[in-house]
Amino acid sequence: MTTSDAPATHLIIISDREPLAWVLESQRMDFPAGRTHQSLSLKKGDEALLYTTRGCFGNPTRDLGRVIGQATLTSEVSTLDQPVSFGERRFTEGCRLRIHGLAPFRDGVVLRNLVNDLQVFPAPRTWSVRMRRASLKLPERDAALIKRELQPLLKPYGSVVGDYSLKRH
């Protein structure tokens, strides 16, 4: 396998708790209409690091943006027969995931603490601008750093997935 054929690592960015619960329970990731170019950069076998924004749980003054899980894409991204909707947003492309581990609820790697060490954010002061998308491909060095920080926090999927349900926290 050449370097270009090696699986890539992507940060999957989730900004609302209802889609997050759906992603975790269904082990699927769907992408909004108009983001086809971004979503097609993901390939079967690629790794996904699941990131929840600080506004994901409705309280951005309390919550921090965190990498909370690690998964593998088990299918290619393709157009959905039935688009999925959350509120006014329609998600028209999707893929299946196998989630390997999750951090306990409200735990995980606080991404802003690593921004100065990550190549994917060439201008650390404006890093959050790059997060206004569904996914972000990570350089190998960045992926290794985030995974090294995340690994000690991960619990088996089945033991914590219920803590991320839609109930109020």
Side-chain angles (χ1 to χ4, degrees):
M1 181 179 283
T2 65
T3 303
S4 63
D5 294 334
T9 302
H10 304 267
L11 201 59
I12 302 294
I13 301 161
I14 305 167
S15 59
D16 187 81
R17 68 189 183 111
E18 183 181 3
L20 172 65
W22 187 85
V23 165
L24 296 180
E25 290 165 9
S26 66
Q27 295 199 61
R28 293 185 45 88
M29 182 62 202
D30 289 345
F31 299 93
R35 302 287 172 112
T36 302
H37 177 72
Q38 274 181 28
S39 64
L40 292 179
S41 72
L42 291 102
K43 304 290 181 209
K44 181 178 179 178
D46 281 356
E47 185 170 46
L49 298 175
L50 307 175
Y51 173 81
T52 57
T53 66
R54 65 183 208 150
C56 186
F57 300 103
N59 193 339
T61 57
R62 175 195 60 203
D63 294 318
L64 300 170
R66 299 175 188 272
V67 180
I68 63 157
Q70 188 171 14
T72 301
L73 277 69
T74 60
S75 72
E76 296 292 336
V77 175
S78 61
T79 301
L80 300 174
D81 292 334
Q82 295 289 333
V84 175
S85 295
F86 293 102
E88 307 244 338
R89 295 191 76 191
R90 283 176 39 94
F91 295 76
T92 56
E93 284 87 32
C95 63
R96 289 187 305 277
L97 301 171
R98 184 175 61 248
I99 299 173
H100 304 291
L102 289 171
F105 186 70
R106 286 213 165 83
D107 200 356
V109 176
V110 177
L111 195 61
R112 76 173 181 201
N113 294 347
L114 300 177
V115 165
N116 290 325
D117 298 320
L118 297 173
Q119 297 171 335
V120 74
F121 303 118
R125 289 185 53 212
T126 59
W127 74 277
S128 62
V129 172
R130 300 231 34 219
M131 302 299 284
R132 295 182 185 147
R133 58 185 67 213
S135 68
L136 181 63
K137 187 175 179 180
L138 297 173
E140 287 181 35
R141 183 172 123 352
D142 291 1
L145 172 60
I146 294 170
K147 289 189 288 187
R148 189 170 51 249
E149 296 290 319
L150 181 62
Q151 202 58 45
L153 305 173
L154 292 178
K155 305 291 182 211
Y157 167 80
S159 70
V160 293
V161 68
D163 296 340
Y164 285 91
S165 71
L166 286 176
K167 62 186 178 230
R168 291 262 177 222
H169 291 283

